[in-house]
């Protein structure tokens, strides 16, 4: 019979580790991280990430069955089951730079598990990884383990989306568990399934082979991103023809085989995962000598780059081909609404574009602080801040950001932008006053009536 899991350790207290473990109802979970500031924040009233509903869930569970700690070794040693939920970013140098996943964090965590453990463990790959990573993990674990310790490795990718993480975790479309089809593999799979069955219906817990599970995660993200690139590609045709992308997406999505969700045209997709995971799939395809497959997926990322550039160009073109010295207000900096996360946010590329044209930009985002915006603008210190400082100002409200702006550019679909006092904003803008809606979220007719010239992605009129 499967081992009953009594104590869980989660290595990595990030966007995934924190929320996923906070919803586990009745098993002791210790989330550990090497980053002390992050752990301190998880133990404070000021959580390190913003996610609707997260505060309440953490407050209820913390100290009851949920603990945050920097004592990685102790948590590993005590646990029967260990989630490895560390970051797996795109490699910046060496073989596969720019495409392959950097598995260093994952391997260091795995090595630590082997070195510290004095009893057998179930080790769960929660991070998104290339297909067959579990093989390497097993080799590392077996080569470094103490006598009598055995390790079962499971793949259990996470499908939560930021901004809706808590709802997604309480009510997932599915939970996917991959294991070796051996007796001990299947038994470990049963142990993890039992953890989830505390709140997830049995028929939503899918159990498959290890490699299918690993690949399904990359496949799911690739297919989701591909929908956005498809709709964004069509948005360019709409702009050139007078069709409207929302109408086209609505008509196409009514086909039950396509479905209505995830068909919103935009300034391009952002977030820490879509691009990274597709590039990872491209690298995998190339390593497997499948250049046609690699080229196909690579185009999804290329289309996204094109969309971001196209939008920035459109702003410049519309402002009579120069934005030098002009004030442009950017509304939204996060990669989507309801998160403070800015990783790969399209707003960053758009801002860089405006700055390279020597525009003066003002930025407002309800959840992203000034420090983070500067980290993004300087690529975490790689680019000097001094030359751009005079041209960047970060504001505490949308109204302040828009004061005196020749163009207002909506980059993130925060709900509050819908209900701004647009008449007052208009009164404080020079003429002609432009609004560029990169998210198709504003009431175009209303803005036009006020006097704005409105340019919306994916509409030709
Ligand atoms: P993150 O950077 O927010 O968190 C990772 C944490 O792991 C960091 O706090 C880091 O300090 C810690 N860490 C790294 N190495 C460690 C070690 N050896 N010991 C202890 N702690 C260590 O990353 P994230 O956004 O939570 O993503 C984690 C993984 O989940 C990635 O593989 C990602 O692709 C995947 N994923 C992310 C999301 C998402 O929405 N962000 C969704 C699904 C899957
Ligand atoms: C995405 C997936 O949706 C999750 O299932 C997955 O677990 C996660 O990646 C991951 O592996 O990290 P996330 O990136 O948090 O989640 O957010 P999404 O809602 O997918 O949005 C991604 C980007 O696409 C955002 O910039 C968003 O604005 C954009 N988007 C989304 C569109 O432009 N149009 C859409 O119709 C949907």
């Amino acid at each position: 019979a499967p081992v009953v899991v009594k104590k869980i350790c989660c290595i990595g207290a990030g966007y995934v580790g924190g929320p996923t473990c906070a919803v586990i109802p009745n098993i002791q979970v210790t989330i550990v991280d090497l980053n002390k500031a992050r752990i301190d924040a998880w133990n404070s009233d000021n959580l390190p990430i913003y996610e609707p509903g997260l505060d309440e869930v953490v407050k209820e569970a913390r100290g009851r069955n949920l603990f945050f700690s920097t004592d990685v070794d102790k948590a590993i040693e005590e646990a029967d089951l260990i989630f490895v939920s560390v970051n797996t970013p795109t490699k910046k140098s060496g073989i596969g730079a720019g495409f392959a996943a950097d598995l260093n964090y994952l391997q260091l965590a795995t090595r630590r598990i082997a070195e510290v453990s004095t009893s057998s463990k179930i080790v769960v790959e929660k991070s998104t990884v290339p297909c067959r990573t579990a093989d390497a993990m097993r080799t590392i674990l077996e080569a470094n383990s103490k006598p009598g310790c055995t390790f079962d490795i499971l793949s259990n990718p996470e499908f939560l989306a930021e901004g809706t993480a808590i709802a997604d975790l309480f009510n997932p479309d599915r939970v996917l568990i991959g294991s070796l089809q051996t007796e001990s593999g299947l038994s470990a799979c049963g142990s993890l399934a039992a953890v989830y069955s505390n709140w997830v219906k049995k028929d939503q817990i899918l159990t498959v082979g290890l490699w299918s599970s690993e690949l399904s995660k990359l496949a799911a993200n690739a297919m989701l991103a591909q929908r956005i690139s498809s709709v964004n590609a069509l948005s360019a045709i709409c702009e050139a023809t007078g069709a409207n992308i929302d109408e086209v997406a609505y008509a196409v999505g009514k086909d039950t085989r396509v479905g209505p969700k995830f068909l919103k045209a935009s300034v391009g997709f952002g977030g820490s995962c879509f691009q990274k995971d597709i590039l990872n799939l491209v690298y995998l395809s190339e390593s497997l000598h499948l250049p046609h497959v690699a080229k196909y997926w690579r185009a999804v990322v290329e289309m996204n780059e094109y969309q971001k550039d196209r939008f920035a160009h459109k702003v410049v073109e519309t402002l009579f081909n120069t934005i030098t010295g002009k004030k442009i207000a950017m509304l939204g900096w996060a990669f989507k609404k309801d998160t403070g996360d800015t990783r790969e946010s399209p707003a960053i590329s758009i801002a860089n574009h405006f700055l390279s044209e020597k525009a003066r930009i003002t930025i407002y985002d309800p959840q992203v602080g000034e420090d983070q915006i500067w980290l993004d603008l300087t690529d975490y210190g790689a680019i000097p801040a001094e030359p751009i400082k005079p041209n960047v100002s970060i504001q505490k409200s949308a109204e302040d950001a828009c004061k005196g702006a020749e163009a207002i550019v909506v980059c993130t679909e925060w709900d509050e932008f819908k209900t701004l006092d647009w008449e007052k904003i208009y009164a404080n803008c020079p003429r002609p006053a432009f609004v560029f809606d990169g998210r198709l979220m504003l009431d175009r007719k209303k803005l036009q009536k006020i006097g704005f010239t409105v340019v919306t992605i994916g509409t030709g009129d």
Side-chain angles (χ1 to χ4, degrees), residues 159-160 162 217 221 262 264 266 269-270 273 335-336 439:
F159 296 104
L160 70 82
E162 290 178 26
K217 174 62 196 179
N221 273 357
F262 235 73
K264 189 79 180 166
S266 64
F269 59 74
C273 291
F335 80 97
K336 62 185 282 198
R439 294 286 187 167

Side-chain angles (χ1 to χ4, degrees), residues 278-304:
I278 295 172
L279 294 176
N280 193 335
L281 195 61
V282 168
Y283 185 72
L284 182 72
S285 309
E286 267 165 7
S287 324
L288 298 169
H289 308 293
L290 301 168
H292 296 83
V293 180
K295 192 173 164 205
Y296 175 76
W297 290 115
R298 193 195 297 247
V300 173
V301 174
E302 285 168 359
M303 180 53 61
N304 196 50

Side-chain angles (χ1 to χ4, degrees), residues 3 40 49 103 156 160 260 276 278 281 355 372 383 386 391 422 435 443 449:
V3 172
D40 289 346
I49 65 179
L103 296 176
N156 172 221
L160 70 82
K276 155 176 94 68
I278 295 172
L281 195 61
L355 288 171
Q372 183 59 50
I383 301 164
E386 287 313 317
N391 287 337
W422 284 103
V435 171
D443 184 340
K449 219 166 132 203

Side-chain angles (χ1 to χ4, degrees), residues 12 14-16 33 38 86-88 127-128 158 162 276 343:
Y15 285 87
V16 169
D33 205 296
R38 223 168 192 189
V86 300
N87 38 330
T88 51
S127 301
T128 303
E158 184 48 59
E162 290 178 26
K276 155 176 94 68
R343 291 177 291 179

